[in-house]
Amino acid sequence: MNTRLTILFLFFAWVIGLGLAKADSIEVSGAVFGHWSTDTVFVAGNIDLRESKTLIIDPGVTVIFNGTYYFRVDGCLKAVGSMENPIRFTRNDTLGFHVDTIADGGWKQIRVENINTSVDSILFRYCRFEYGKAVDQDSIHGYGGALCIRNTDRVSVAHCTFANNYAYYSGGAVYLENASILLKNNGFTDNRCGQTQDDYGYGGGLCSDHSEAIIENNQFNLNSSTGIGGGLCIRFSDGPVAFNVFEDNYSALGGGLGMLHIDTCHYSIGNNLVVNNGAYFFGAGISNGDCSPTYINNTIVNNHCFGGGGGFYCKDSVVPVLINNILYGNTEYGGEANQVYLWDITSQPDFYYNNIQGGTDGFSGTGASDFTGVYDHNIDFDPMFETNSFNLLQASPCVNAGKPDTTGMMIPAHDLADHHRVVGDTIDIGAYEYQASSGIELESTEDNPLSLVLFPNPVVDDLHLEFELSNQEFVSVVVTDMRGQAVEVILAETMTPGHHQFIWNASGLDTGVYVVLIQTSRGVMSRKFIKK
């Protein structure tokens, strides 16, 4: 009997021991290194990972700062969590966090600066950063609420979440200076930066200064700054900004994205969704000041500025180039439609193959009074989005309406939704590519070729049509509107093999998008054209 009691006692002691092992914790301060595999790490003072040391943090570990302490990183840090078990950096007492002039309620950021080239790369994967607070009013420690990275390229941040962080100056969640690092698949939510007077903030979610950081596939939501770039601000040097979503961010200028003081832009800004952002003064969607980026295949919609410039704002003699973008539903002042605002007469962007609501007549600002930029092959139609998304409907005038020749544009293989980018014979306008074939339902083969060519497109008067037949057969050619209703039957007769061409006068059509359908015994082929 005593033996059985002993066994039971040992068994329950083992079970209790397991429970305690899973709930264990450590307390750290000063120099740190080694392996954090406990449930909770309490930070009781400033901590420092020195250059010759390595620290590994396991998935599921929670790092709790018990005061306004910082974590300085000079050595090799691997904070690699998982989707199921992220690593969490937080504060034990958040009382006072929303008072922007005091340090209370937050911890003082992770500082990664001047990393020696002998140190292995620093990795943050599947980490959550919350209640980081950089409020020091000096030029060093008031930047980057959660991460401040300077003078190093040896950092990678991916699949991380930044929520409720604040910086006195710039980079509410993350600040970069001379740090050409990777930031990919991260979420920035409810981060803030800047003061309401004098010390204006740049980049409520992220600020990149003098860096060529790769900023891809990130979500910027509900971030704010008092200066420029509610979600993201890029200054002094640019990097690739692609496949990001900027939604419901707010700033004085550039509610979603602010670009500033870049002498030469080397990278394009492409395949981003900029939606429902706000600005107090100018540029609710995107602002450009003293820099001229190239924007390709972005969807910039439903942004509102309480001043001027709902969608796209330009100042200080800038000449951005916009190709294949949608600017639609953006407003300024009391709700007046405005897609483009040009502050000065020398700010004259070039526009190619965009869908811009209101055209140049809808531009505002001093530069709009005598617009001299290139405005080529742009359209002005409802983009026709799917319900509750910004994917294009099949009937959208943006489908197959982008720049036909994309040589040199470095078009990626996928769109913002990670679907194939070019479906059909021409790239679509906007960040999303319509996936069903909207151009050729009837395949042309070597033995039985059929082609349909329309030009010019857009057309004002005469539309030239050409097609090729290999067999004698009955052919019908019909013009329809975008709802599929027939406008006119151009041709309905038996045709001989060979090349056929004719001219059809389209001057009687209203301005809009139309489709030419050619039908034979083998099927139907369609081509879209625009009537100016």
Side-chain angles (χ1 to χ4, degrees):
M1 189 70 170
N2 289 337
T3 301
R4 292 181 64 187
L5 287 174
T6 301
I7 292 173
L8 286 172
F9 174 79
L10 292 173
F11 172 75
F12 284 117
W14 175 70
V15 171
I16 292 171
L18 281 179
L20 291 173
K22 289 183 178 180
D24 61 353
S25 64
I26 60 172
E27 183 176 278
V28 299
S29 64
V32 295
F33 60 91
H35 190 173
W36 291 353
S37 58
T38 57
D39 280 357
T40 308
V41 177
F42 291 103
V43 179
N46 296 328
I47 55 178
D48 178 16
L49 175 61
R50 295 175 181 171
E51 182 178 310
S52 61
K53 301 297 183 178
T54 296
L55 175 63
I56 297 173
I57 306 177
D58 277 358
V61 172
T62 298
V63 181
I64 299 178
F65 290 78
N66 289 341
T68 56
Y69 308 127
Y70 64 77
F71 182 4
R72 179 178 176 86
V73 176
D74 293 304
C76 176
L77 174 62
K78 307 290 186 185
V80 180
S82 66
M83 183 180 297
E84 298 78 14
N85 294 293
I87 297 168
R88 183 180 174 211
F89 296 88
T90 189
R91 172 68 199 265
N92 67 329
D93 179 5
T94 60
L95 183 65
F97 175 78
H98 292 288
V99 181
D100 296 346
T101 55
I102 61 175
D104 296 358
W107 53 283
K108 279 191 177 179
Q109 79 201 176
I110 297 174
R111 302 173 185 169
V112 184
E113 301 175 339
N114 303 301
I115 299 299
N116 194 297
T117 55
S118 64
V119 175
D120 196 6
S121 296
I122 295 167
L123 302 180
F124 296 99
R125 294 283 189 277
Y126 292 103
C127 297
R128 179 179 176 86
F129 302 86
E130 58 186 24
Y131 301 107
K133 192 175 185 183
V135 296
D136 288 4
Q137 297 181 32
D138 58 44
S139 60
I140 300 297
H141 300 139
Y143 296 79
L147 294 179
C148 181
I149 303 171
R150 287 188 166 103
N151 303 317
T152 182
D153 300 337
R154 307 183 71 77
V155 182
S156 177
V157 183
H159 301 286
C160 293
T161 300
F162 298 86
N164 292 302
N165 300 285
Y166 173 76
Y168 190 94
Y169 293 108
S170 299
V174 178
Y175 178 73
L176 309 177
E177 183 179 21
N178 294 311
S180 299
I181 71 168
L182 172 70
L183 294 117
K184 189 171 184 177
N185 296 312
N186 303 294
F188 296 83
T189 303
D190 282 313
N191 304 287
R192 302 174 297 114
C193 72
Q195 298 290 299
T196 55
Q197 294 180 347
D198 299 327
D199 297 311
Y200 294 112
Y202 297 85
L206 166 64
C207 181
S208 174
D209 285 353
H210 299 285
S211 304
E212 295 186 11
I214 299 171
I215 303 172
E216 292 184 350
N217 294 98
N218 302 288
Q219 300 273 335
F220 294 87
N221 303 95
L222 298 169
N223 305 285
S224 63
S225 68
T226 59
I228 295 177
L232 168 64
C233 183
I234 297 180
R235 303 189 296 176
F236 312 117
S237 182
D238 70 328
V241 178
F243 305 108
N244 303 286
V245 175
F246 300 89
E247 184 171 10
D248 293 318
N249 303 285
Y250 184 83
S251 186
L253 289 87
L257 167 63
M259 304 289 293
L260 190 65
H261 301 318
I262 304 172
D263 290 338
T264 303
C265 292
H266 299 96
Y267 302 91
S268 64
I269 298 172
N271 294 281
N272 301 286
L273 174 63
V274 184
V275 58
N276 294 333
N277 301 284
Y280 188 77
F281 292 115
F282 299 101
I286 297 175
S287 71
N288 302 272
D290 190 30
C291 63
S292 301
T294 297
Y295 294 88
I296 301 175
N297 280 107
N298 300 283
T299 297
I300 306 166
V301 294
N302 300 341
N303 303 284
H304 175 67
C305 187
F306 294 95
F312 192 82
Y313 170 72
C314 297
K315 182 179 183 293
D316 295 331
S317 304
V318 302
V319 287
V321 176
L322 291 87
I323 306 171
N324 301 345
N325 302 280
I326 296 174
L327 289 109
Y328 200 87
N330 302 292
T331 56
E332 63 181 7
Y333 300 115
E336 302 171 16
N338 173 258
Q339 315 312 311
V340 178
Y341 192 103
L342 308 178
W343 170 268
D344 49 304
I345 196 67
T346 51
S347 288
Q348 299 292 319
D350 294 333
F351 299 88
Y352 303 89
Y353 294 91
N354 303 280
N355 185 9
I356 304 177
Q357 184 181 10
T360 56
D361 290 340
F363 291 6
S364 58
T366 302
S369 62
D370 186 21
F371 178 69
T372 59
V374 176
Y375 198 80
D376 187 20
H377 287 91
N378 299 285
I379 60 175
D380 173 15
F381 301 114
D382 181 346
M384 300 179 68
F385 297 124
E386 291 181 355
T387 303
N388 299 322
S389 84
F390 294 94
N391 291 303
L392 301 174
L393 293 171
Q394 181 178 10
S396 169
C398 298
V399 175
N400 288 349
K403 192 173 187 292
D405 183 3
T406 59
T407 303
M409 292 170 57
M410 304 297 290
I411 298 296
H414 298 91
D415 67 0
L416 181 55
D418 202 29
H419 295 143
H420 291 298
R421 175 30 103 181
V422 181
V423 178
D425 55 359
T426 307
I427 193 170
D428 293 351
I429 295 175
Y432 299 93
E433 188 87 4
Y434 180 71
Q435 293 303 299
S437 176
S438 62
I440 303 176
E441 295 79 23
L442 176 62
E443 293 188 1
S444 179
T445 66
E446 183 177 351
D447 295 333
N448 197 7
L450 174 66
S451 61
L452 175 61
V453 177
L454 307 179
F455 65 93
N457 191 6
V459 62
V460 176
D461 295 314
D462 290 336
L463 180 67
H464 295 251
L465 300 92
E466 297 185 9
F467 60 89
E468 193 91 21
L469 294 176
S470 61
N471 302 316
Q472 178 172 307
E473 56 187 317
F474 186 84
V475 178
S476 67
V477 179
V478 180
V479 177
T480 74
D481 60 21
M482 294 304 293
R483 294 170 297 179
Q485 296 181 346
V487 173
E488 184 171 339
V489 178
I490 299 177
L491 179 70
E493 61 183 75
T494 300
M495 307 289 292
T496 59
H499 182 78
H500 299 272
Q501 57 183 343
F502 53 94
I503 298 173
W504 178 70
N505 189 282
S507 61
L509 295 178
D510 294 332
T511 299
V513 181
Y514 297 86
V515 177
V516 173
L517 298 174
I518 179 170
Q519 183 170 2
T520 73
S521 59
R522 294 188 295 116
V524 178
M525 179 181 288
S526 64
R527 289 288 184 269
K528 188 182 300 181
F529 72 93
I530 298 167
K531 171 62 173 65
K532 280 190 172 183

